[in-house]
Amino acid sequence: MSGMSGVAAAGSPQDAPLLRVENLAVGFGRAAARAGAVVEGVSFEVRAGRTVALVGESGSGKSVTARTVVGLTGRGSWVAAEALEVSGASVLGVIRADGTRRGLPAPEWRRIRGAQVGLVLQDALVSLDPLRPIGREIGDALRLHTPLSAGARRERVLELLESVGMPSPAERIGQRSGELSGGLRQRALIASALAASPGLLIADEPTTALDTTVQAQILSLFEEVVARGTGLLFISHDLAVVSRLADEVLVMRSGRVVESGPVERVLGDPQHDYTKQLLRAVPAGVPRGVRLSVSAEPAAPAVDAIRTSPPAPPLPDRAPGAPPAHAVAASPAPSTASPPARAAGEPSAALVVRGVTKRFGDRVAVDEVSLELRTGTTLGLVGESGSGKTTLARIVLGLDAPDAGVVELGGLPWVPGRESLRRPRRAQLGAVYQDALSSFDPRLTVGSILTDALGGADGVAELLREVDLSPELARRRPRELSGGQRQRVSIARALARRPRVLVLDEPVSALDVSVQAQILDLLDRLQREHGIAYLFISHDLGVVRHMSDRIAVMGSGRIVEEGPAATVFEHPEHPLTRSLLAAAPTLSHS
Amino acid sequence: MLVKAAWGVAGGVFVLWAAATLTFFGLRLIPGDPAQAVLGGPGSQASAEALAAVRAEYGLDQPVWVQYLRYLGRLGTGDLGSSYSLRQPVAEIIGAQIGGTLLLAALSLAVAWVIALGLAVWSTRGGRVAAAVGSALEIVAAAVPHFWLAMVLVLVFSTTLRWLPAVSTPGPAGLVLPVLTLALPLAGFLGQVMRESVLDALEAPFVLSARARGESEGGVRWRHVLRHGALPGIALSGWAFGWLISGAVVVETIFARPGLGRTLLNAVQLRDVPLVVGVVLVVALGYVVVTVLTDAVSRIADPRLRSAS
């Protein structure tokens, strides 16, 4: 492709790496005392045509490391390293006479940024200026680093758009990021980082905001860019994505590299406990009942036997001796003492959706959808964004009225109908959303949120223990909790009134993989103990497969395929299911 | 798009009707006899016959609702009537006075914009001290009343320094103090919202992208941040226009400057109903036009508004 070929660091010695980082430390605080270090002892090299991945959870220091490489660590930060070299030249600045260090002057940084190192961030909707056409954004790097005229820049931008697979570039060049789909604007963002032909590209979670199929396309684009000779520093929390793209991987935790090496070795034969933990937390290919999160006992090794025999779940987390708060509630759900509902023969239907259709103007968002969710089981609903999953969830919850069709809850009509008739039975249906924080009133404490849900202060502590949270958290506000704790609170709120059915709309999509694993384990345990049926909506096929008894695949508002989880995953019949499965990056467990 | 435009026009007509109605009935609430006002104000010693003749001439002997409907009918044909006190068609009086006020308002808005944007961009650049100083300046400016600010400006620039005239004279020098009196408090308001969005923009990922592309600090501000900072200012400018006109009443009086504001104040004092109504309607019309304009400019400046509609 035009223009992309001359990237292999023209002036520098052939054997010098594009990026060399030796014993890097970064912190926010007083530099002299090296206070507030968030990154310590990080060393790696990126060479032309190679991909190095930094993997870790949020707060592990991987993004800070990436930004330090382009001198954009942020205000009040300090950087120390034995070596920090871009294309063989140090970017550490100079040591003053008194021993302190003065960073590289801003004009020198500006000659490196964009020209030698390009940066791609997570979501192009906000990573490209929403007020400016993408052509201007991409052309800026050329304006800053080349003597090209405005006309020549435009030509070059069109070539760049072509090279990142943008369809009809001449039309797109004048559009803004908000007018493009997620995949197309991410291509534009990549084009803007590559515009001045930097030898090194840094990509910070570049596919995290994308659908599985679009993610697969963007990952292919990165592979192409690397094949043309660019060096890639790829930052991700997603081990499956990393296993597809990287040559080398560094696993980071709390600012330190815990393990590094060739990707096959680190992910295939991990030595460090944390790497093993991360790998085990990936739910793809792991059957139900196998714990994903770390616990005292090891994960059940007999992987194949789990589904056929009733799971022997570990129940270590319940507060000893405390009777469940709901024991007196007149609920048809089995009490905790009874065996898991799904083992009790043929379960009845907890929720039935029949012929539901919903239109928005001319667009059919949900088209004649029929589903059945049996008591105590999980129905996984998968599909790309815009396929109608969330609209269907809103109809099931009685928040939107369908244009046609009915929903029955516990054998009785639920939707359509007057809200005043639904209200007495609302307790039977709960919901958990992706963004727990925005589903809480920020001024309320956890205790008052749960008191509201319970209809009284009794049982708040019990409810918190049920979701493995300390009752002391009742005094905190949602903002003071971690992402995992918030999602536990939102699950506790959903459980408060002992629902028969929980609608879980992307409940773990915003969480780190190890936290996600804990939440999935919690949901699994709660279902076994209380026989709650889950309508589990997710774009993550690994998560859905791990959680679901049956799977429904949704595309353009229709259910294109429905069946037992194993059948749908192993023998997909519909082309959409196959393309979703093919696009999902997978990680083979050792 | 057409439907939207039609709703916009209907909304504008509604605003004008509401302004006319409120003014009409509002003026009835003031004690005193309008016929007396026609015959030279409360101090004049008009005879009962003269008063009756005036009442008949202006239809003041009719029931209120008849007067109201007639009044609306006349307004519908564009006839603003004639002033009681000045014995001139209202349209002529307004035509003679409007230019000065519009010039004053437009200059004040422009000056306020420049000060506000400059302050917002400067105070977000200079670190914590500059941010605190900028914020404090904005709050003080926004809180200062016009009449007080006018007196301070006169005291400093006319009485002490003798740089500028204390009374508005024809020519640019006479405009400086009135414009500053109106612009400084407005700059405080605009600056506060603009700085907020400048700060948001500086934290946005697209600014990180721009810096990673090799853009300089100046370039980041000029090409990206300035526009984002200006957006809420554009949206507020419609409101600011109304605010400036009401400020013009005070400023034109203090600086003895001819204009709509002073005309309005005199007309209210003299209970000159047709003139008050005329000025209020023209101001309301101006407000509607400016709001439509700022909406249009917002759409041009922010493409997200276009695709959302």
Side-chain angles (χ1 to χ4, degrees), chain A residues 55-56 205 207-208 215 234 236-243 282 540 585:
Chain A
V55 200
E205 302 271 6
T207 61
T208 306
Q215 166 172 291
F234 192 90
S236 182
H237 70 283
D238 189 329
L239 293 166
V241 165
V242 165
S243 76
V282 175
D540 187 327

Side-chain angles (χ1 to χ4, degrees), chain A residues 67 70 72 75 109-110 113-115 117-119 121 123 126-132 137-138 140-141 143-145 176 178-179 189 192, chain B residues 124-128 204-217 221 223-225 227-228 231 300-304 306-307:
Chain A
R67 278 159 208 200
V70 285
L72 291 171
R75 259 188 200 176
W109 266 126
R110 290 203 294 272
R113 294 176 195 149
V117 187
L119 179 64
L121 297 170
D123 185 1
V126 287
S127 302
L128 289 172
D129 192 334
L131 299 183
R132 302 178 82 218
E137 289 281 276
I138 299 167
D140 267 357
R143 179 178 54 74
L144 291 162
H145 299 294
R176 291 158 180 88
E179 298 167 76
L189 182 61
S192 84
Chain B
T124 52
R125 174 156 207 176
R128 236 175 287 167
F206 63 80
V207 162
L208 183 61
S209 286
R211 288 192 175 128
R213 211 177 276 144
E215 191 70 86
S216 63
E217 276 307 296
R221 271 150 217 279
R223 292 202 167 71
H224 300 275
V225 171
R227 228 168 139 190
H228 286 263
L231 286 182
I300 292 167
D302 190 350
R304 290 168 296 185
R306 270 176 270 163
S307 49

Side-chain angles (χ1 to χ4, degrees), chain A residues 403-484:
Chain A
D403 294 315
V406 294
V407 180
E408 287 170 12
L409 181 66
L412 295 169
W414 174 252
V415 164
R418 285 221 311 278
E419 181 59 28
S420 56
L421 299 176
R422 264 199 297 270
R423 201 163 293 132
R425 291 160 65 215
R426 277 266 169 214
Q428 296 176 21
L429 187 59
V432 176
Y433 303 101
Q434 174 173 351
D435 184 1
L437 186 61
S438 69
S439 76
F440 298 129
D441 184 336
R443 292 165 307 153
L444 295 183
T445 61
V446 167
S448 43
I449 288 166
L450 295 181
T451 305
D452 278 358
L454 284 164
D458 292 347
V460 168
E462 186 57 41
L463 206 50
L464 284 170
R465 256 182 242 124
E466 179 109 69
V467 294
D468 304 329
L469 287 177
S470 157
E472 283 160 30
L473 289 183
R475 285 196 300 273
R476 302 243 201 117
R477 288 190 166 69
R479 205 164 275 290
E480 298 156 5
L481 302 178
S482 71

Side-chain angles (χ1 to χ4, degrees), chain A residues 62 173 209 232 250 403 437 441 517 560:
Chain A
K62 54 194 197 306
I173 194 168
L232 179 62
L250 288 85
D403 294 315
L437 186 61
D441 184 336
V560 298

Side-chain angles (χ1 to χ4, degrees), chain B residues 132-160:
Chain B
V133 169
S135 177
L137 278 179
E138 283 158 12
I139 290 172
V140 169
V144 162
H146 286 136
F147 66 89
W148 184 83
L149 181 61
M151 288 193 297
V152 170
L153 288 175
V154 166
L155 205 64
V156 174
F157 292 102
S158 305
T159 319
T160 311

Side-chain angles (χ1 to χ4, degrees), chain A residues 2-209:
Chain A
S2 55
M4 292 277 173
S5 41
V7 289
S12 69
Q14 278 302 326
D15 52 347
L18 293 167
L19 175 65
R20 191 163 84 86
V21 178
E22 199 64 52
N23 208 2
L24 175 73
V26 186
F28 294 86
R30 287 202 324 115
R34 291 184 55 136
V38 294
V39 169
E40 267 182 300
V42 171
S43 304
F44 62 94
E45 279 183 10
V46 184
R47 290 174 180 273
R50 304 284 288 173
T51 301
V52 175
L54 298 180
V55 200
E57 303 189 273
S58 36
S60 62
K62 54 194 197 306
S63 287
V64 173
T65 305
R67 278 159 208 200
T68 302
V69 171
V70 285
L72 291 171
T73 322
R75 259 188 200 176
S77 61
W78 53 263
V79 176
E82 274 167 39
L84 184 58
E85 292 169 6
V86 173
S87 303
S90 175
V91 294
L92 274 172
V94 291
I95 310 287
R96 290 200 196 90
D98 63 355
T100 57
R101 205 173 49 77
R102 189 167 58 84
L104 203 63
E108 286 185 41
W109 266 126
R110 290 203 294 272
R111 276 196 288 278
I112 293 167
R113 294 176 195 149
Q116 296 180 41
V117 187
L119 179 64
V120 177
L121 297 170
Q122 183 170 336
D123 185 1
L125 181 62
V126 287
S127 302
L128 289 172
D129 192 334
L131 299 183
R132 302 178 82 218
I134 57 166
R136 296 272 298 281
E137 289 281 276
I138 299 167
D140 267 357
L142 298 169
R143 179 178 54 74
L144 291 162
H145 299 294
T146 67
L148 295 178
S149 67
R153 288 205 298 266
R154 191 188 144 85
E155 287 305 307
R156 182 82 184 89
V157 169
L158 287 171
E159 286 170 21
L160 280 161
L161 285 173
E162 185 99 46
S163 76
V164 296
M166 180 77 77
S168 46
E171 287 167 37
R172 305 289 182 188
I173 194 168
Q175 291 184 313
R176 291 158 180 88
S177 61
E179 298 167 76
L180 299 173
S181 69
L184 289 189
R185 62 180 175 241
Q186 204 65 19
R187 288 176 192 272
L189 182 61
I190 293 168
S192 84
L194 290 173
S197 308
L200 175 68
L201 191 61
I202 301 175
D204 191 351
E205 302 271 6
T207 61
T208 306

